[in-house]
Amino acid sequence: MSREQRRAITEKLRNAPERPEASSIDQMRAGFAALMSQYPVPAEHRETPATLAGRPAVLVEPPGTPRPGTILYFHGGSFSLGSPHTAMGLTANLVLRTGIRALSLDYRLAPEHPFPAGIEDCLAAYRSLLEDNDPSSIVFAGDSAGGGLSVTTTLAARDAGLPMPAGIVAFSPGLDHTHSGASMVAKEAADPFFTREGLVKTGKLYRADADPAQPLLAPAVHADLTGFPPILLQVGTNEVLLDDSVRLAERAREADVDVILDITADVPHVFQTFTDTLDEAGQALDRAALFIKQRLA
């Protein structure tokens, strides 16, 4: 275990220069892109622009011939920021560790396109993949808001009568727009990224006037996961979003769904990003890659 590494990362995040309050969504997006550009992206992968169900996407491939299967990746960014490029470090690491290609979707963002536009785009992308691929060859994966979309897209697919993907991988997923988890308060002092107040503010950009107390906005509280494929949830103990994963895992067990709740101590939100400075980041990605390979074997 690397307690010194974990302490150093948390200290660095806490002591980062404060950024002035953004006055527009474009400035928020530019700031998020600049932040994510600081994190490492492995050089060995290949990126090719693609289109999936009418939306831009990026095809990410390993060197050589990919193994069979597809990772359909949904990037993070509070449902209003980010792109396939801001999540490329995570996507490329999964591709290189599994040898399986990924398609990272550039779904529509709030506030221009509030709930459920992002879910609709992710569902349409899955429908498009099903035209030429067996569902048993597809795994959903995502981080933060994208981890939430990996779950809610599966809900939407099931309710639409579509076959289930082979599995779901969610890194620090956002799964509760009611913000009712105990960790929202208990972990606020430990979380260097988020506060409940901040999440409520950004959440309103996404949900607009929609009632948050519904399965597609709060699956950790309201979703019936019956019929779901196996799920891997990875989260850190220093996250206000910790109980989003804990409660979803409980709902999965209630629905007799295979679920792995993978909690790493004393690490921040989407800690898998820190592959250059945190041993646990690479170890967690290795566990996620093994889960994916087992689902697509």
Side-chain angles (χ1 to χ4, degrees):
M1 304 295 284
S2 56
R3 297 190 182 280
E4 294 80 8
Q5 291 177 336
R6 286 178 280 181
R7 276 197 223 93
I9 286 174
T10 299
E11 193 69 15
K12 180 179 179 180
L13 292 170
R14 290 194 184 284
N15 292 330
E18 291 189 12
R19 292 182 292 276
E21 187 70 20
S23 59
S24 72
I25 190 66
D26 288 338
Q27 288 178 321
M28 292 171 63
R29 288 169 180 161
F32 183 72
L35 173 67
M36 298 309 296
S37 70
Q38 300 175 27
Y39 299 125
V41 178
E44 299 86 353
H45 70 289
R46 302 192 304 270
E47 297 178 29
T48 306
T51 301
L52 197 54
R55 291 296 306 167
V58 178
L59 173 63
V60 186
E61 297 177 289
T65 303
R67 294 177 53 177
T70 300
I71 302 167
L72 181 55
Y73 198 90
F74 307 130
H75 68 82
S78 300
F79 304 96
S80 57
L81 316 173
S83 71
H85 299 289
T86 60
M88 190 52 64
L90 293 168
T91 313
N93 265 298
L94 286 180
V95 167
L96 294 176
R97 282 169 161 80
T98 61
I100 297 165
R101 72 170 189 161
L103 278 161
S104 186
L105 181 68
D106 196 0
Y107 55 87
R108 287 175 292 170
L109 300 176
E112 299 92 336
H113 304 284
F115 168 84
I119 297 172
E120 291 170 348
D121 289 348
C122 295
L123 180 61
Y126 182 48
R127 284 185 188 273
S128 179
L129 281 179
L130 289 176
E131 293 175 3
D132 299 305
N133 299 273
D134 192 273
S136 64
S137 71
I138 301 169
V139 164
F140 292 171
D143 63 281
S144 194
L149 285 169
S150 71
V151 172
T152 54
T153 300
T154 306
L155 277 171
R158 184 201 62 192
D159 292 348
L162 297 178
M164 291 290 88
I168 298 169
V169 173
F171 301 132
S172 299
L175 298 164
D176 177 20
H177 277 267
T178 71
H179 308 298
S180 58
S183 59
M184 283 284 161
V185 175
K187 296 295 182 178
E188 190 164 25
D191 193 324
F193 278 122
F194 293 134
T195 64
R196 186 181 188 278
E197 180 182 3
L199 288 171
V200 168
K201 181 178 178 180
T202 57
K204 287 180 179 178
L205 294 177
Y206 174 58
R207 65 178 178 83
D209 295 327
D211 180 3
Q214 57 177 292
L216 290 179
L217 281 171
V221 183
H222 295 289
D224 175 2
L225 304 185
T226 300
F228 259 50
I231 306 169
L232 171 64
L233 302 163
Q234 288 190 343
V235 66
T237 60
N238 289 3
E239 298 197 51
V240 294
L241 292 177
L242 171 61
D243 279 346
D244 286 32
S245 290
V246 170
R247 290 176 297 157
L248 192 88
E250 292 172 354
R251 300 195 73 80
R253 288 195 293 267
E254 291 169 359
D256 202 24
V257 170
D258 289 343
V259 60
I260 299 172
L261 178 60
D262 183 351
I263 301 176
T264 298
D266 201 25
V267 293
H269 185 65
V270 193
F271 68 93
Q272 300 87 345
T273 303
F274 301 97
T275 52
D276 57 339
T277 53
L278 181 65
D279 292 343
E280 282 79 9
Q283 293 163 5
L285 286 166
D286 286 342
R287 295 194 296 274
L290 177 61
F291 177 89
I292 291 171
K293 288 190 288 187
Q294 290 174 335
R295 302 286 76 75
L296 301 182

